[in-house]
Amino acid sequence: MKNLKTLRLSANYTQQDLALMLGVKPKNISDWELGKSQPELKILRDIAVIFGTSVYDILSDNLVTTTYWKPWNKDKSIDTFWGHIGILLYNSNFIKWYPITTQTANIVENDLIELDSEAKNQILTVTTLNNRLLYINKKIIKKISLLDDSSDIPKDWEIPWDGYQGLGAEEFYNLIEEYFSDHVEFRINTSENLQKIIEKIIKDNRLTDENIDEITNNIYIYFHDNTTETLFVDDILEFLDSISDVIILENKFIRCTDINGEIHFFPIDSIGLIDTPLYQFKKEVKKIEFFKE
């Protein structure tokens, strides 16, 4: 767990500090950082929340994203909160704002000014800090804005249900989804303190079995005429693979099958933005990685 040490040092915590927060011994922290052992899931979730990230990122060998704003951060293995990306669709006067990291802001800017060798793609892919994976059709939008956190907030800004820069950690979205989809596993694999935090988030935001899919499973397709279609797909990887075919093979239609078995074909030239749940994508990727091992 090399990422654990990186995150701990970035927060200026000693092993003793982190051990006290988690209710374990400093030797446990040392063993985890050295790869001698690994904490149980409920402790991993506590660690993810402490550092504003996810269990997925902590255990991966990839870049770790965090919702914390750390402009002084020089560690290239940590990607911290930078500000927001705004997307203005045709026939709309309302900009959709999403919190993003420093690396994401750089990728977007490089793509749009064509410093990136892949910038010729019609579709710009963006991951956000509030559990969204965005596909932006650069030909079917009015404007893309980048807003540094130190800038003034626009007058038409509307704070979404999960706050200015998301809930504070990607793991919160994972936990909320599990709370409703598998409550038994949630109780077993989540510490009592974290259970109380999740229950408060659910209560404060009036999340229920009836509306939880809106934030955990639904895909939102925004068309050039300012209409929207909401989908709950049967296989999110099939849907995202179809988008990849548009990007790589220049297919003209995106194909997906919804939860009821209906097959949809959407012409890419009619779509300005596709907004999908990031956690669901990562969960499916993790399954693939597990079977490869």
Side-chain angles (χ1 to χ4, degrees), residues 54 56-57 170 278-286:
S54 67
Y56 181 93
D57 276 14
E170 184 182 307
L278 178 61
Y279 165 65
Q280 293 296 343
F281 168 71
K282 285 187 174 182
K283 187 166 67 171
E284 294 303 317
V285 169
K286 188 176 180 181

Side-chain angles (χ1 to χ4, degrees), residues 98-111:
Y98 300 86
I100 58 173
T101 63
T102 300
Q103 186 184 73
T104 299
N106 290 335
I107 288 172
V108 171
E109 184 169 8
N110 289 341
D111 183 287

Side-chain angles (χ1 to χ4, degrees), residues 63 80-81 84 93 111 148 165 173 192 194-195 229 272 285:
L63 190 71
T80 60
F81 172 67
H84 292 77
N93 294 317
D111 183 287
D148 188 299
Q165 58 195 81
Y173 298 94
E192 289 186 11
L194 191 48
Q195 286 182 39
E229 178 145 352
V285 169

Side-chain angles (χ1 to χ4, degrees), residues 39-210:
E40 60 182 328
L41 181 55
K42 64 172 59 178
I43 293 180
L44 281 169
R45 286 175 163 175
D46 284 342
I47 292 171
V49 169
I50 288 171
F51 294 113
T53 185
S54 67
V55 172
Y56 181 93
D57 276 14
I58 290 172
L59 295 179
S60 76
D61 293 325
N62 301 321
L63 190 71
V64 178
T65 60
T66 172
T67 57
Y68 293 155
W69 185 64
K70 296 181 179 180
W72 60 87
N73 176 59
K74 301 298 182 183
D75 193 324
K76 294 184 178 180
S77 63
I78 300 178
D79 194 16
T80 60
F81 172 67
W82 175 85
H84 292 77
I85 183 172
I87 303 159
L88 181 62
L89 301 170
Y90 279 117
N91 298 308
S92 174
N93 294 317
F94 175 72
I95 298 178
K96 299 180 183 298
W97 292 100
Y98 300 86
I100 58 173
T101 63
T102 300
Q103 186 184 73
T104 299
N106 290 335
I107 288 172
V108 171
E109 184 169 8
N110 289 341
D111 183 287
L112 296 179
I113 61 176
E114 298 188 345
L115 289 180
D116 191 327
S117 61
E118 298 180 358
K120 294 180 181 179
N121 289 333
Q122 180 178 347
I123 307 299
L124 173 62
T125 305
V126 175
T127 58
T128 78
L129 288 171
N130 62 337
N131 190 40
R132 309 312 297 177
L133 174 59
L134 308 177
Y135 295 92
I136 306 166
N137 188 343
K138 293 179 285 188
K139 295 182 179 179
I140 314 292
I141 56 169
K142 277 186 184 177
K143 181 176 71 170
I144 293 176
S145 300
L146 290 174
L147 187 69
D148 188 299
D149 188 54
S150 61
S151 303
D152 293 334
I153 295 177
K155 293 180 180 179
D156 62 349
W157 190 284
E158 289 187 14
I159 302 296
W161 75 272
D162 50 1
Y164 177 73
Q165 58 195 81
L167 290 175
E170 184 182 307
E171 194 62 27
F172 282 133
Y173 298 94
N174 309 349
L175 288 161
I176 290 170
E177 195 273 341
E178 187 175 84
Y179 178 94
F180 287 97
S181 66
D182 196 337
H183 197 70
V184 174
E185 286 297 309
F186 172 81
R187 291 292 183 189
I188 293 172
N189 294 316
T190 310
S191 67
E192 289 186 11
N193 286 338
L194 191 48
Q195 286 182 39
K196 292 176 182 177
I197 293 172
I198 295 302
E199 288 166 355
K200 186 177 187 305
I201 291 173
I202 289 170
K203 180 180 178 182
D204 290 348
N205 292 284
R206 299 178 182 178
L207 302 179
T208 65
D209 288 315
E210 286 70 37

